[in-house]
Amino acid sequence: MSTPTPPPPNLAPRRRTSALKMMFWLLLVPIVLFAGYFAVVLHWNYSTGERAGWVQKLSRKGWLCKTWEGEMAMVSMPGAIPEKFLFTVRDDAVAESINKVMGKRVTLHYEEKVGLPTSCFGDTRHFVNSVLQVDEIPLVPGVVVPNRPAASSGAPAAPPSSIQPAPPSPLPSTTPPPPAPNTSPAKN
């Protein structure tokens, strides 16, 4: 007679564990890649720099993720049309310091982030992380107008008393001398 054959192994539980492993890896790998992408994009800067101008607007915006969004007018030459620089501030302390110097000439230090997939981090690519009030206004290269703060009473600052008149020029005058009196006899 023939010997009885053993029953075939039960494959159903093995399939269930491999299906769980597959689901685990299909969920875990995209989540880890997504988190790694965000970590790289948030800590890597495409560019950094400074822009100078007058902050016109700063407001807290957003449906779910509230960020400070601002606008600064930059003028390259007197009489030129100002260029607008749109920026985002994530730090409340920096936003408070920008609000203190609103309407004054400032320099904003920013970092440009590229590749953020959502506006939850900010509406712009430029993230401001510090502000500095500028005490001088450059008119043209080499010519600077000092920007003196007003007195604490709210009145305009008085001009300094140490202003001296300019010394006379050592160059000869370019105005013509007055006409000499006519001493010749009159003709009839």
Side-chain angles (χ1 to χ4, degrees):
M1 294 213 293
S2 70
T3 61
T5 59
N10 192 355
L11 297 178
R14 182 177 175 143
R15 283 187 190 159
R16 181 174 289 168
T17 58
S18 66
L20 288 175
K21 284 182 183 179
M22 183 64 84
M23 289 293 280
F24 175 75
W25 288 111
L26 285 177
L27 290 176
L28 183 67
V29 169
I31 289 172
V32 168
L33 289 176
F34 194 68
Y37 174 77
F38 269 104
V40 168
V41 169
L42 286 174
H43 290 92
W44 177 75
N45 299 325
Y46 178 72
S47 71
T48 61
E50 292 184 345
R51 301 243 178 144
W54 288 266
V55 176
Q56 294 178 318
K57 178 176 81 169
L58 186 67
S59 60
R60 194 155 170 84
K61 292 182 178 180
W63 291 102
L64 295 175
C65 304
K66 299 281 189 184
T67 57
W68 290 94
E69 303 297 328
E71 179 180 296
M72 182 172 68
M74 300 184 306
V75 179
S76 58
M77 294 181 63
I81 296 174
E83 179 184 344
K84 290 183 181 178
F85 173 62
L86 303 175
F87 60 91
T88 300
V89 180
R90 289 192 288 186
D91 187 9
D92 288 336
V94 174
E96 183 179 330
S97 62
I98 291 174
N99 272 328
K100 287 180 183 176
V101 294
M102 183 84 65
K104 298 176 184 172
R105 186 167 168 84
V106 297
T107 299
L108 299 178
H109 183 270
Y110 69 92
E111 297 174 343
E112 185 176 358
K113 307 281 187 184
V114 178
L116 291 175
T118 176
S119 65
C120 192
F121 298 102
D123 289 343
T124 68
R125 294 166 51 161
H126 303 97
F127 293 90
V128 171
N129 53 20
S130 67
V131 62
L132 177 67
Q133 184 176 347
V134 178
D135 293 331
E136 297 177 338
I137 302 171
L139 292 178
V140 292
V143 178
V144 182
V145 176
N147 185 13
R148 292 188 181 92
S152 61
S153 64
S161 61
S162 64
I163 296 178
Q164 301 294 326
S169 174
L171 298 175
S173 174
T174 58
T175 59
N182 192 356
T183 57
S184 63
K187 290 185 184 180
N188 294 352

